[in-house]
Structure formats: C-alpha cells, structure tokens
Amino acid sequence: MPRPLPLNLPQTFLPERRLLAKLLSFIADQGGGDKEAISAATGIPTGKSTGKVEPMIRYVQGMGLANAEKAASQWRLSLTPLGEIVQREDPFLSEPVTIWLLHLMLCRRCGRSTPARGIADAWFALFADSGFRLGPCFTPAAWLDVLIERHGQKAYLFSLASIVLRSYLEASSLACAPVALSPLTVEGNPPGRFQDQGIIRQSAPVEKRFFPAYAAAFYLNWDELFNAETQLALDEFADQSRFFTVLGWDDIAISRWLDWMADQGILQIDRHTGTPILLRLRETVSIIARVYCELV
C-alpha cells in the first residue's frame, strides 16, 4: 500500500515535464544515488537545502511511475510497470493521454481510512474532495481557504495552493495541447491578480484514445483500495476511490467507458442487481501494457 507523500511535496516547484522525463530516464538506467549525484546525472538543479531533485522524485512517486526510498541521504529508485510503459512509449510526457493518466494517479486516494486523504493530498483535496464546496468554477483564493480548513494555518499553503493550479495551466508542466483538454483552464482572459481569476474544472475527454489509460488508472486504484476483491459494486468503487469525481463524468460518460471495458474483455458487468457489479477479468500488468494501444 502506498504511503502518503509529504503535503508540501512540491516545495516551490512545478512538475516540469522536461525534468520528470530526465528523472525517469535516469531511473531506468541507474536507479539511485544522493540528490547531488542525481542532479549531476540529469541536470535537474539542486542545492544542499533545497532544489528540484527531491520534489521531482516525489512527483513521480505520486504519479505511480516510480518506487522511491531514502536512507542516509541515498535514494533507491525503480520504475513501476506504469513508469516503464510511459518512459518507453512517451518519454517526453507529451501526449494528452499521458497527462490525464498522471493526473488521475496524482489525485488518487491513500487507503480507505477516514477522513479521506490522498497520496498527494493537495491534489486529492482539489479534484476529489472539494467539488461541492468550490463548484465547477472557483477562484484560487477560495481554493486556498479549502486547504487552510483542511490542514490548518501553514506558512507554505499559499505556495502549495498556487502550485497545484499552475501545474495544469503552464505548458512546461501538465497543461495539455490543446489547452481545452487540460484538467483546469482559466476563465476567459481576465485581468487582475491570479488569486481573483476564475479557474474552471474540465471533465476528462470521453474519447476512445484515452480509454486504455483510464482503464490502467482504474485497475491501479482497485489494487490499492480493494486488493482482496475481484468483484465489486460500481457504487462502492466510486464512493471509496472518488475516481469518477476526478474524471468529472456523469452517468452517461461512465456507462460509455464501462461498455468499452466490457467489449475489450477487461471487465464483466452485471447490471441486473440494481447497481452494476464489476468483475475483473485481467491482471493489472496486462492493462498497463495497453495504455497507448488506441493511439494512431
């Protein structure tokens, strides 16, 4: 079971795709060292007390791309099966399919204890646990209030709240091209302070090319939250994981994707019991291997 990451995992740094790609390549080739050695090998800047190496490691952990353990200043790093397929098929993390997959993983719940918390809790809080409070369009200031209520007054929360939003608004980070596919967009082109601008939640694209990536995230969420189960009610999965909340989907979109999963032999769906009952038909590693299978 993954452990929750430090709340302030970014420190003050965005998840820059260029740096994440360099780190994944390094992990595939070498797999560890202290942060100075990792910096020297990758070009990711770092210093004695701060720098980007360790935040980038935390990001790839949160995205489910790498396993990471630190002992006596040494990092032991290895790619997960998801990290291996992403690093091989989209080494520059440029595909919108990849970005949505990493987004779903970064927003996943950590265990089933209450109150619900995320692997990277600031991301989970925004996308999985504050929909009713903030609504589909909100200001950065309102989002900061949510974080303060959730975690108390902490000096770094202003920076953290901004980093979470900017992750999806800056091209160097997790903004998609075209921008309309990004998990967040800015309302219009408003003047004034960023803290007062309207931020819009975007639903995940209901497009076939994205479906295998959603399937991989679905199976990985199931593994972490319901490891002992091969059959599960859709409502229970949805309530516990908040998976469809992060996707931003209504029942029609969910049903379309589930039908695709059934057609692909990924799930068996029993709709005769009220709520659909889902039966897993594959091993997770086989689903991960097909993340990019619908791309031309």
Side-chain angles (χ1 to χ4, degrees):
M1 174 67 64
R3 296 188 299 272
L5 296 171
L7 178 62
N8 193 28
L9 71 95
Q11 296 178 21
T12 58
F13 304 112
L14 292 169
E16 297 177 55
R17 282 183 288 168
R18 177 179 61 88
L19 301 185
L20 298 176
K22 287 184 174 183
L23 180 59
L24 293 177
S25 178
F26 167 81
I27 295 172
D29 291 340
Q30 300 184 46
D34 63 23
K35 65 180 182 179
E36 288 80 11
I38 296 171
S39 176
T42 61
I44 301 173
T46 197
K48 289 186 177 181
S49 60
T50 186
K52 296 185 179 183
V53 167
E54 293 191 337
M56 295 308 127
I57 291 173
R58 295 302 190 189
Y59 278 125
V60 296
Q61 273 188 283
M63 294 168 177
L65 301 176
N67 304 305
E69 296 181 3
K70 185 181 182 183
S73 80
Q74 296 289 313
W75 283 98
R76 294 178 56 193
L77 306 169
S78 62
L79 295 181
T80 63
L82 183 63
E84 290 175 357
I85 191 71
V86 169
Q87 202 275 326
R88 183 170 68 246
E89 299 293 335
D90 186 17
F92 300 108
L93 311 181
S94 59
E95 291 284 350
V97 166
T98 302
I99 291 172
W100 271 97
L101 176 57
L102 302 187
H103 169 63
L104 289 172
M105 294 299 290
L106 198 56
C107 295
R108 71 195 192 277
R109 185 174 178 180
C110 186
R112 291 162 59 189
S113 60
T114 54
R117 291 290 186 263
I119 298 289
D121 193 62
W123 275 262
F124 178 83
L126 177 58
F127 290 98
D129 213 24
S130 65
F132 289 114
R133 166 69 186 277
L134 292 176
C137 182
F138 57 92
T139 64
W143 157 230
L144 175 60
D145 288 343
V146 169
L147 266 188
I148 292 172
E149 289 180 12
R150 190 178 183 93
H151 292 288
Q153 289 283 355
K154 291 179 169 57
Y156 59 77
L157 287 187
F158 181 88
S159 171
L160 176 61
S162 178
I163 288 288
V164 173
L165 300 182
R166 289 171 51 220
S167 294
Y168 301 98
L169 302 175
E170 299 200 10
S172 63
S173 189
L174 301 179
C176 290
V179 172
L181 292 177
S182 295
L184 295 177
T185 58
V186 178
E187 188 176 30
N189 187 24
R193 299 187 314 150
F194 177 67
Q195 287 300 106
D196 300 322
Q197 293 179 0
I199 306 296
I200 301 172
R201 300 175 191 266
Q202 299 279 111
S203 297
V206 188
E207 300 177 23
K208 191 176 179 182
R209 61 184 170 130
F210 290 84
F211 285 2
Y214 303 153
F218 173 86
Y219 259 64
L220 288 162
N221 271 263
W222 187 317
D223 287 348
E224 292 178 2
L225 298 175
F226 304 99
N227 188 47
E229 307 293 335
T230 58
Q231 184 170 286
L232 196 63
L234 174 63
D235 286 354
E236 184 175 6
F237 178 84
D239 291 344
Q240 293 293 335
S241 70
R242 319 288 175 89
F243 184 73
F244 300 111
T245 302
V246 178
L247 286 168
W249 281 356
D250 59 18
D251 289 345
I252 294 173
I254 294 170
S255 181
R256 178 178 169 187
W257 176 67
L258 289 177
D259 288 343
W260 176 87
M261 297 259 276
D263 290 343
Q264 297 294 312
I266 294 171
L267 285 179
Q268 180 177 307
I269 306 169
D270 181 355
R271 290 190 169 95
H272 298 97
T273 57
T275 182
I277 303 297
L278 310 178
L279 175 66
R280 289 173 55 133
L281 299 177
R282 302 276 189 87
E283 295 296 324
T284 301
V285 67
S286 71
I287 305 302
I288 290 171
R290 293 178 55 78
V291 162
Y292 297 100
C293 69
E294 293 288 350
L295 297 186
V296 176

